[in-house]
Amino acid sequence: MNLTVLAASGRTGIALTRQALRRGHTVTAIARDPQRIALPDSPHLRKVVGDVHDAASIASAVDEDSVVLSALGTDRAGVLLTGARAVVAAGPRRVIWLGAYGTGKSAEVAGEGAGVLATVLGDRLADKVEADNTVLAAGGTVFHAGMLADGPESPRRRTVGLEAAPPFDLGARVSRETVAAAMLDEAEAPGFPGAVALPLAE
């Protein structure tokens, strides 16, 4: 498949790009500074400059036949919604977006932990929710991951919908490698179009 990874220089973006290449896909890796995409050159990997605040740079990197996988994260409100709008406007075949468990559509099923998360995120919460809704309205899939950690892909990983979501646990962790694998599974065999999915470690 032709896959496009947004924010490919971050830890989750690197995991997505590396695993996609390992699975035999062709990858366009977008980052503000492509030199920070710490992966060896490959005939199946194209590193390009892109900034979500420059919609034209995103549009030029996204092919209409591609599936975009976003690992975009930020500590500033407004970036995620800007990114979601730029990606959707670029017209890819599908969008698979990384969000946070306990926000937006998963807040109710997450339970009390969602309140803690809302306090931590502050003015970024509305940005996250609006970005998610933009992707969902375009038929994309939003992965609501719990607390991210480094480490290997879980051998017992699974992906569930909101109807099977466990309570939010601040002490639980899911590795970026596990999240990346779940997102790539969705790219290869869509199971949650237009919906929120949860990548679980076990």
Side-chain angles (χ1 to χ4, degrees):
M1 297 176 65
N2 294 319
L3 303 180
T4 301
V5 177
L6 181 62
S9 62
R11 284 182 288 178
T12 306
I14 287 286
L16 278 167
T17 305
R18 181 176 56 247
Q19 288 192 34
L21 291 169
R22 189 183 303 149
R23 293 188 187 202
H25 300 299
T26 298
V27 181
T28 298
I30 303 174
R32 285 181 296 177
D33 180 2
Q35 291 186 343
R36 293 183 59 204
I37 302 172
L39 291 171
D41 291 336
S42 161
H44 301 290
L45 174 62
R46 183 169 68 107
K47 302 176 183 179
V48 301
V49 176
D51 188 326
V52 296
H53 293 288
D54 177 7
S57 71
I58 302 300
S60 67
V62 174
D63 187 285
E64 64 181 11
D65 186 48
S66 70
V67 175
V68 174
L69 300 105
S70 172
L72 187 64
T74 180
D75 57 4
R76 291 183 293 119
V79 174
L80 293 175
L81 180 57
T82 299
R85 286 173 171 167
V87 168
V88 169
R93 181 151 54 97
R94 278 193 76 211
V95 180
I96 300 172
W97 190 265
L98 181 58
Y101 187 38
T103 65
K105 294 186 181 297
S106 68
E108 185 175 344
V109 296
E112 295 180 2
V116 176
L117 194 59
T119 300
V120 171
L121 290 172
D123 64 353
R124 290 177 290 158
L125 178 60
D127 183 39
K128 277 186 173 290
V129 173
E130 290 181 57
D132 288 358
N133 289 340
T134 297
V135 171
L136 292 170
T141 301
V142 176
F143 274 81
H144 274 192
M147 305 300 289
L148 294 175
D150 295 324
E153 176 186 335
S154 170
R156 297 184 301 277
R157 68 177 180 83
R158 59 195 177 97
T159 300
V160 301
L162 291 180
E163 72 284 350
F168 182 78
D169 182 356
L170 284 168
R173 296 288 187 271
V174 58
S175 73
R176 292 175 175 83
E177 297 290 341
T178 298
V179 172
M183 293 175 71
L184 286 164
D185 287 348
E186 181 68 18
E188 294 171 348
F192 299 91
V196 172
L198 275 66
L200 303 177
E202 56 183 42

